[in-house]
Amino acid sequence: MNTDLAIETHNLGRIYTIRNRRERRVRREIVALQDVNLQIPRGELFGLLGPNGAGKTTLIKILTTLLAPTSGWARVAGYDVVREPQKIRPRINMVSGGESSGYGLLTVRENLWMFAQFYGLPSREANRRIEELLRRIGLEDRIHTKSSDLSTGLRQKMNIVRGFLTDPEILFLDEPTLGLDVNAARDVRRFVREWLDVHPDRTVLLTTHYMVEADELCDRVAIINQGQVLACDSPENLKRRLERDALFEIEITSPNGLTGAILEAIPGVRRALLTETNGGARLDLTLVADSALPDVISVLTERSVRVRHLTKREPTLEDVFVELVGKPMAEAEKREDEDEP
Ligand SMILES: Nc1ncnc2c1ncn2[C@@H]1O[C@H](COP(=O)(O)OP(=O)(O)OP(=O)(O)O)[C@@H](O)[C@H]1O
Ligand SMILES: [Mg+2]
């Protein structure tokens, strides 16, 4: 057992079995996680990036001992999630985005104070932490506001503070900025980062389907799709795989029957994604080298497609996802919807 690891999983899997209610016969099996192997050292801010239905929440539920795996094993803070959940629970905390927890009639302070009591925190220490954390996340002026009177974003900030209040060894944040506006999301990210700066031995595992969040915030990111971890590395290293490619974003007028497949038939074009926009389309091109660009422009010209704007850009985690999955994350999400019964 490696005690420097906050989280370790070995061939972790989870299958959900959907049974026919009357006959109790298995109607369908959903593989939510498959052979997940992660080693997350203490002190790391680790991100799980993946589309809807990728298995992120399932993994968090297993690691927080709320759900049993159906194969493999997982250790959190050195303890086995199935055999020693009571050792794990006091050491961790979890916050999910979009949750409407809290008692609306109580103020922000009262809500947090009550929660601190559940964890047996001395009252004075609880109050000290509440004030400090509210100040850090920019909510101190709402300390006496009833939580039912808070906007979604402010309530989410209160929930985030709740997660940090017990000073957990390992904190699980499931989509912490889901539905937040840009400023609130930025406040939450800064808060998480600063908390880890002050508590370097603490570990945070967060899930997100925001590429930018994973990129800017996380030390390392696991890209997960359909229950499988496809890549796991620092954002820089993940993007470095694509450095040899030349990436262009081209805004064009109406595509006039042009498709990605037509462009991908041109030598030197590794990938061409066409997205309809208001009154035109955007073309995301991955070329083996800049020198392939003139051939693409010729094909556009043959079809009377005009270029409105052309930029060469640096790789993003979205490109990494496309490289691994073969389609953008938004499309990977659509497929999942179609799968639903
Ligand atoms: N209780 C359940 N019973 C049956 N299937 C489930 C259950 N919970 C999740 N699933 C299925 O398992 C897969 C993974 O779901 P999960 O909620 O872990 O994904 P996620 O990455 O958290 O997605 P999202 O971004 O939408 O939160 C999906 O196909 C989902 O439909
Ligand atoms: Mg989820």
Side-chain angles (χ1 to χ4, degrees):
M1 187 172 77
N2 184 345
T3 49
D4 291 336
L5 293 178
I7 297 167
E8 186 178 13
T9 72
H10 180 77
N11 290 351
L12 193 70
R14 171 71 206 196
I15 295 175
Y16 290 106
T17 310
I18 315 260
R19 289 178 190 278
N20 189 319
R21 207 173 278 166
R22 236 186 272 146
E23 302 154 52
R24 301 296 297 161
R25 268 208 309 243
V26 174
R27 215 182 79 210
R28 205 155 83 94
E29 286 195 332
I30 297 170
V31 181
L33 285 180
Q34 205 182 331
D35 291 334
V36 172
N37 293 293
L38 293 175
Q39 298 204 318
I40 304 176
R42 288 184 191 273
E44 197 161 71
L45 205 179
F46 189 89
L48 273 178
L49 173 69
N52 292 136
K56 305 182 295 295
T57 300
T58 300
L59 180 56
I60 286 213
K61 281 186 180 163
I62 292 174
L63 297 176
T64 53
T65 76
L66 299 174
L67 181 77
T70 47
S71 56
W73 54 257
R75 272 200 257 278
V76 172
Y79 300 103
D80 186 275
V81 291
V82 175
R83 290 196 314 268
E84 304 164 292
Q86 71 289 351
K87 295 273 196 200
I88 295 174
R89 285 180 193 156
R91 294 177 159 83
I92 63 169
N93 209 338
M94 169 166 96
V95 180
S96 303
E99 71 180 74
S100 56
S101 76
Y103 294 87
L105 285 175
L106 300 184
T107 65
V108 169
R109 182 207 283 278
E110 288 163 347
N111 261 298
L112 294 170
W113 187 84
M114 191 177 67
F115 180 78
Q117 297 311 296
F118 295 158
Y119 268 77
L121 219 63
S123 188
R124 186 183 294 198
E125 175 63 10
N127 279 325
R128 192 190 65 75
R129 287 193 197 171
I130 289 168
E131 276 164 31
E132 188 194 331
L133 293 170
L134 288 177
R135 185 166 41 76
R136 284 183 182 269
I137 209 165
L139 201 61
E140 72 269 41
D141 54 334
R142 302 304 177 97
I143 191 164
H144 299 303
T145 303
K146 271 197 257 166
S147 69
S148 57
D149 292 344
L150 294 175
S151 66
T152 315
L154 295 181
R155 192 171 317 128
Q156 177 62 1
K157 283 187 178 178
M158 181 185 81
N159 287 336
I160 298 273
V161 165
R162 174 172 62 63
F164 289 85
L165 195 52
T166 59
D167 198 15
E169 272 178 45
I170 303 162
L171 185 62
F172 296 89
L173 301 174
D174 194 5
E175 313 252 6
T177 61
L178 188 72
L180 296 189
D181 67 46
V182 181
N183 289 326
R186 196 185 301 132
D187 287 349
V188 167
R189 283 181 206 135
R190 191 188 302 128
F191 176 82
V192 174
R193 192 75 255 181
E194 283 178 5
W195 185 78
L196 274 176
D197 289 344
V198 177
H199 302 89
D201 56 336
R202 303 298 194 235
T203 309
V204 173
L205 184 151
L206 69 84
T207 76
T208 184
H209 57 255
Y210 300 129
M211 303 284 179
V212 175
E213 183 157 297
D215 197 346
E216 287 178 0
L217 187 59
C218 299
D219 300 319
R220 280 196 309 150
V221 174
I223 295 182
I224 178 169
N225 190 47
Q226 296 187 1
Q228 287 178 292
V229 172
L230 304 177
C232 177
D233 213 330
S234 66
E236 297 69 40
N237 285 343
L238 287 170
K239 289 184 287 188
R240 201 164 290 150
R241 306 161 162 226
L242 300 177
E243 250 169 21
R244 59 203 149 82
D245 296 336
L247 303 169
F248 291 93
E249 192 176 297
I250 306 178
E251 279 174 44
I252 55 173
T253 54
S254 167
N256 289 341
L258 187 75
T259 62
I262 293 173
L263 294 169
E264 282 173 2
I266 303 171
V269 178
R270 274 166 43 81
R271 189 160 281 122
L273 289 170
L274 203 62
T275 321
E276 301 265 343
T277 58
N278 239 346
R282 197 188 68 233
L283 187 58
D284 285 299
L285 281 181
T286 308
L287 308 180
V288 293
D290 290 356
S291 54
L293 190 62
D295 289 343
V296 173
I297 303 295
S298 307
V299 171
L300 297 181
T301 312
E302 276 165 25
R303 290 184 173 252
S304 315
V305 176
R306 276 196 303 114
V307 172
R308 283 182 173 148
H309 193 74
L310 185 149
T311 36
K312 183 165 188 198
R313 58 177 185 80
E314 295 300 312
T316 64
L317 286 187
E318 175 81 48
D319 299 310
V320 179
F321 187 89
V322 171
E323 173 79 12
L324 291 166
V325 177
K327 57 187 159 193
M329 197 145 106
E331 270 178 46
E333 295 193 330
K334 257 186 264 155
R335 214 196 73 78
E336 171 65 25
D337 294 343
E338 286 157 14
D339 261 355
E340 288 300 306

